[in-house]
């Protein structure tokens, strides 16, 4: 029983200290923002927009992309129309976007992107993967042109909330801020690759076309970052090995989940992908460990074994309560758990900007117990989620986030 109790403490303690270490590294490093003028726009980009049943927002997204501060002849917008209404497609054809119509028995983002890139005849320097609900910072491509000029060809932009108008959207916004701080800025500060998010990603075009030709199922962002960290694909293409660079001042606005049902669908997809690929790629992970590839080890083993922060918080809260109720312990003193809870709280609160505490913190706390309950329930309902495409609908067409200036 003592061994079990020690393990029940040591395992979550590892994850708390892991998060805290990366959180402190990110805080010490601070935000990296370039003050140099943008170099002349010279690189050709393609913005790939998978749109599955996104009839309500896709036109406004294309119009926003058309207005980016970048020479229009140097970038193409490609809408991958999957299950869009004929009227929507007809409207899109009146824009400057390239429309690629696809239909699959089982839709996935990877299939849509593969179909589009296989049909495109032009060659590009970089490809932007942007979800149908995403809006890009007007200077987004100028910043990516600058990043490519500095030698970065695998880039994750900073995703921020498009909307912060409901308690669940507020909670989702806080989660995004924490993830950006720990797993992206913190990872780069530690000399490791940023994790990717699935959108707001920019790649060397040859590289991403080759990577997606090897991906078919869901959870493509998990596979993608593991393939990049493994480094083999760079050698095969004759490209210099790249880590994933987090470009913090390049913003991509993402619609946040605004209700419990959508939250459950989204998290179910994420959890299933996380644990299924941990098992599927376990052999590659151990090989990377033997070779001393700590970048791969971090993205593969640590990020996929890491429990969701809400579940970790629930566990660290529940155990001390049980100790208090029963008033006894075998080996680990009660106050050890309190210290661990406090360290975890620091790693969660340190990334949050002051403006969030002034306006939104109470609403986020009120929503937290229900969100944790949903996450616990999902652990018992993951069967089939790793292979099925679980769609989250969107309807926000404009940015409504007073925190944007605080996050810049």
């Amino acid at each position: 029983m003592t061994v079990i109790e020690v393990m029940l403490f040591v395992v979550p303690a590892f994850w708390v200290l892991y998060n805290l270490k990366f959180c402190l590294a990110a805080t010490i490093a601070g935000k990296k923002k370039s003050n140099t003028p943008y170099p002349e726009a010279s690189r050709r980009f393609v913005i790939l927009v998978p749109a599955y049943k996104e009839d309500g927002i896709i036109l406004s997204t294309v119009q926003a992309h058309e207005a980016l501060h970048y020479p229009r002849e140097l970038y193409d917008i490609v809408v991958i129309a999957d299950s869009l209404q004929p009227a929507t497609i007809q409207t899109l054809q009146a824009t400057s976007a390239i429309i690629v119509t696809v239909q699959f028995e089982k839709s996935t983002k990877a299939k849509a992107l593969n179909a589009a890139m296989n049909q495109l005849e032009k060659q590009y320097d970089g490809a932007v993967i942007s979800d149908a609900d995403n809006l890009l910072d007007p200077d987004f491509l100028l910043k990516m042109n600058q990043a490519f000029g500095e030698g970065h060809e695998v880039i994750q932009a900073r995703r921020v909330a498009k909307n912060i108008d409901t308690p669940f959207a507020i909670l989702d916004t806080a989660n995004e801020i924490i993830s950006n701080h720990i797993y992206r800025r913190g990872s780069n500060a530690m000399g490791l690759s940023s994790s990717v998010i699935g959108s707001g990603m920019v790649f060397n075009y040859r590289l991403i076309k080759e990577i997606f030709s090897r991906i078919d199922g869901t959870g493509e962002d998990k596979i993608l970052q593991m393939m990049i960290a493994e480094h083999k694909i760079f050698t095969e293409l004759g490209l210099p090995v790249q880590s994933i660079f987090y470009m913090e001042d390049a913003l991509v606005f993402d619609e946040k989940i605004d209700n419990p049902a959508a939250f459950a669908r989204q998290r179910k997809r994420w959890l299933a992908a996380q644990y299924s690929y941990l098992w599927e790629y376990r052999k590659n992970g151990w090989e990377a460990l033997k070779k001393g590839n700590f970048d791969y080890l971090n993205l593969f083993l640590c990020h996929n074994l890491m429990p969701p922060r809400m579940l970790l918080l629930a566990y660290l809260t529940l155990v001390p309560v049980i100790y208090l109720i029963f008033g006894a312990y075998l080996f680990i003193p009660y106050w050890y758990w309190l210290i661990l809870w406090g360290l975890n709280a620091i790693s969660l609160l340190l990334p949050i900007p002051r403006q969030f505490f002034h306006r939104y913190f109470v609403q986020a706390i009120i929503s937290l117990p229900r969100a944790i309950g949903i996450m616990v329930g999902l652990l018992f309902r993951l069967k089939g989620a790793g292979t099925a495409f679980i769609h989250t609908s969107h309807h926000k067409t404009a940015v409504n986030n007073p925190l944007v200036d605080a996050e810049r």
Side-chain angles (χ1 to χ4, degrees), residues 167-168 171 360-371:
F168 263 84
L171 193 62
Y360 304 107
F361 185 69
V362 173
Q363 293 183 66
I365 292 298
I366 291 173
S367 304
L368 187 58
R370 187 172 185 183

Side-chain angles (χ1 to χ4, degrees), residues 315-337:
Y315 177 84
L316 294 176
T317 303
L318 180 63
V319 172
V321 170
I322 293 174
Y323 270 55
L324 188 63
I325 292 173
F326 290 97
Y329 61 87
L330 295 175
F331 186 77
I332 305 296
Y334 176 74
W335 59 273
Y336 276 35
W337 288 97

